[in-house]
Amino acid sequence: MFISVLDLFKIGIGPSSSHTMGPMMAANDFRSRIYQLVATSSNNKAMHVRCVLKGSLAFTGKGHATDRAVVLGFHGYTPVALSEQDVNSLIAKLWATHSFTVNKDTVITFNPDIDIVFDKHETLPQHPNGMVCTLLDENKKILLSETYFSIGGGFINTLAEISQLNAPLKMESGKSFPFPFDSARSMLQMSQQSNYSIAEMKRANELTKLTANELDQGLDKIWHAMQRCIENGLATEGQLPGGLKVSRRAKKLFNQLHENSEKATLNDWLCAYAMAVNEENAAGHMVVTAPTNGAAGVIPAVLYYMVKHENGSIENVRDFLLTAAAIGGIIKHRSSISGAEVGCQGEVGSAAAMAAAGLCAAQGGTAKQIENAAEIALEHHLGMTCDPVGGLVQVPCIERNGFGAIKAHTAAALARRGTGDHFMPLDNCIEAMKQTGLEMSHKYKETSLGGLAVSITEC
Ligand code: SF4
């Protein structure tokens, strides 16, 4: 299996990769299909489009801005194109338009208040994040229909694609790559046989698709975007949108740490950096999927600390990202990075495993130590549920990223102090996460029907 580092880390907007970025890409894809249809049809009058959100997209889609994402997608926007825009004012304008054009002669009627349906009755059997887009004519005859699944991290599959796959993934076969590892075990074997580090193997795989220059520029762009997220979050205060009245805290915390830096701990800094990113995410601003939006603070926080406090170089950053992507790809291949599929263990747990591996690599850890670091970090997130209050990516998500970063840092340190030999292989830990996710009630998989989401007292 192969998933590019530049696909795993994607620049886009908050608050959710599966509930915002994925649905936006799906709506945008459906728009392209409409375009193709009208290009070959002479009867293009009075068409209108509907979008039915299923499963977790229906339950927490309001809080996760799925409806807004669908509007943006139908109007031709993509997450990366919006990362520099004021999305709120754009949305207000588009929402009131009640139509969109796919070419200069074809206007499709679309009233988001009526044509986006949150269907909480039936979850599609293939995946908890389903979405059905339909184009109808004036007699309500279906002209075009497609079912999409938002499978986590901003990735989407159509019904045909998801039906062909054992795991709900969209990846290339690893056969055409020099190091086609699809498990931690095969990764370690290949590293030992080739004498390549995990980052070097991942780089060699990437270079079958990209030039060295393109790869390094892509990695540097991701890192600069992550830095900007942190710095934007550290510079902003006020209340987050959505109605919970949650205040931003990262800026205040950061200022406190600066004013009294001799008393500031590693944990304090990591929390400030991670929370800064997730506050930006909750505000719907630019973030990088790492591997998801809900978990977007863990990896940037650990990287930022490494660069700002420990003199990490740009080469260290690149090795970190490549190693983290190798681990993220294995987790995505063997289990899931989607909160709707396996709970928060798949989001913040995966991010922590990736960050621990990346940090361990950047600090000169061996392949065995890196695998150990990822396993330690993931192991101590097993069973963690996804129960966001109000369906918003705020409570517990923002603080949880700080804790994910702390666990990642601790896991890398613990692994570096050992030989790499350890009891529980990473593959087994990933399998345990998958099984735990399968046995987890749907109440704890991004539906906001259980846990913290139903434990707030109104006052
Ligand atoms: S609880 Fe975890 S998985 Fe659920 S929305 Fe928040 S960060 Fe994502």
Side-chain angles (χ1 to χ4, degrees):
M1 87 340 128
F2 172 78
I3 180 163
S4 171
V5 61
L6 304 186
D7 286 333
L8 203 55
F9 296 115
K10 286 188 288 295
I11 298 169
I13 58 165
S16 169
S17 47
S18 58
H19 287 53
T20 316
M21 287 170 60
M24 197 188 305
M25 293 305 293
N28 192 298
D29 181 86
F30 195 67
R31 175 193 166 85
S32 309
R33 290 168 194 247
I34 298 174
Y35 177 82
Q36 282 164 13
L37 182 86
V38 299
T40 55
S41 165
S42 52
N43 184 15
N44 295 334
K45 289 189 189 129
M47 291 185 287
H48 103 262
V49 83
R50 288 184 83 216
C51 174
V52 180
L53 303 169
K54 304 284 234 174
S56 171
L57 293 185
F59 282 106
T60 56
K62 274 276 175 213
H64 285 54
T66 308
D67 46 357
R68 290 158 50 105
V70 168
V71 172
L72 289 163
F74 281 147
H75 280 269
Y77 290 91
T78 59
V80 67
L82 289 168
S83 60
E84 306 290 339
Q85 282 211 34
D86 175 3
V87 177
N88 286 335
S89 56
L90 176 64
I91 275 283
K93 194 178 94 194
L94 300 179
W95 197 282
T97 311
H98 291 184
S99 66
F100 60 89
T101 53
V102 287
N103 63 31
K104 67 180 171 41
D105 299 321
T106 312
V107 179
I108 312 287
T109 306
F110 169 62
N111 178 349
D113 290 317
I114 298 167
D115 294 319
I116 299 178
V117 179
F118 292 82
D119 178 4
K120 295 182 182 169
H121 296 108
E122 212 180 285
T123 298
L124 296 176
Q126 294 84 358
H127 192 278
N129 290 338
M131 176 172 154
V132 184
C133 296
T134 312
L135 179 73
L136 304 126
D137 70 8
E138 56 200 323
N139 301 316
K140 300 206 166 120
K141 185 179 153 209
I142 295 175
L143 301 173
L144 188 65
S145 181
E146 185 57 85
T147 301
Y148 295 94
F149 299 94
S150 179
I151 61 170
F155 294 91
I156 55 167
N157 283 151
T158 61
L159 183 59
E161 287 166 340
I162 210 164
S163 304
Q164 287 165 11
L165 300 164
N166 293 328
L169 303 167
K170 193 173 192 175
M171 293 182 180
E172 289 183 58
S173 154
K175 286 193 186 115
S176 47
F177 298 92
F179 298 100
F181 54 83
D182 59 1
S183 64
R185 188 161 173 266
S186 58
M187 179 181 75
L188 287 179
Q189 273 171 352
M190 287 179 204
S191 172
Q192 195 185 22
Q193 282 159 8
S194 64
N195 226 6
Y196 272 37
S197 69
I198 294 169
E200 285 168 337
M201 292 195 295
K202 184 70 179 140
R203 176 174 283 275
N205 287 346
E206 298 283 347
L207 293 183
T208 59
K209 301 265 178 193
L210 302 165
T211 65
N213 204 22
E214 284 168 341
L215 177 60
D216 286 338
Q217 278 182 4
L219 292 171
D220 296 353
K221 194 170 163 195
I222 290 165
W223 164 231
H224 290 135
M226 287 178 171
Q227 278 189 86
R228 273 183 47 216
C229 295
I230 292 179
E231 285 159 10
N232 290 345
L234 293 179
T236 312
E237 51 198 353
Q239 220 169 64
L240 292 168
L244 287 184
K245 299 187 181 160
V246 171
S247 295
R248 286 179 179 252
R249 289 178 291 163
K251 180 181 176 189
K252 199 169 165 199
L253 174 58
F254 180 69
N255 289 345
Q256 282 174 357
L257 300 178
H258 245 289
E259 282 159 20
N260 204 351
S261 59
E262 66 284 353
K263 292 222 168 119
T265 66
L266 164 69
N267 292 358
D268 291 327
W269 292 113
L270 289 173
C271 277
Y273 300 150
M275 286 166 62
V277 175
N278 285 81
E279 287 172 1
E280 282 295 282
N281 180 56
H285 295 167
M286 188 264 288
V287 284
V288 181
T289 58
T292 64
N293 279 26
V298 176
I299 288 172
V302 175
L303 262 175
Y304 199 80
Y305 187 87
M306 180 186 88
V307 171
K308 298 288 176 185
H309 299 254
E310 297 173 335
N311 293 322
S313 66
I314 190 65
E315 285 75 27
N316 294 147
V317 171
R318 291 173 186 162
D319 280 353
F320 184 123
L321 290 173
L322 287 164
T323 309
I327 299 298
I330 292 170
I331 296 174
K332 191 160 165 46
H333 175 60
R334 301 185 78 81
S335 178
S336 171
I337 56 167
S338 161
E341 275 188 288
V342 295
C344 198
Q345 54 175 352
E347 293 209 14
V348 172
S350 299
M354 292 164 68
L359 181 62
C360 189
Q363 291 173 335
T366 64
K368 279 168 68 177
Q369 287 173 323
I370 291 166
E371 186 259 3
N372 188 192
E375 192 280 324
I376 295 170
L378 187 62
E379 182 177 305
H380 300 292
H381 285 90
L382 290 183
M384 197 159 74
T385 58
C386 169
D387 51 359
V389 177
L392 297 160
V393 195
Q394 297 180 9
V395 180
C397 320
I398 295 170
E399 273 177 9
R400 185 163 287 176
N401 275 260
F403 282 79
I406 291 167
K407 284 190 199 175
H409 213 284
T410 308
L414 207 51
R416 289 270 289 131
R417 290 193 181 277
T419 61
D421 291 328
H422 60 107
F423 184 80
M424 180 64 64
L426 175 58
D427 289 333
N428 298 46
C429 187
I430 294 171
E431 180 57 34
M433 179 174 90
K434 183 179 179 184
Q435 201 52 40
T436 306
L438 282 173
E439 291 169 16
M440 195 181 275
S441 162
H442 73 285
K443 288 191 211 166
Y444 306 109
K445 294 197 276 193
E446 217 160 352
T447 55
S448 290
L449 295 173
L452 291 171
V454 295
S455 302
I456 35 163
T457 316
E458 304 281 348
C459 48

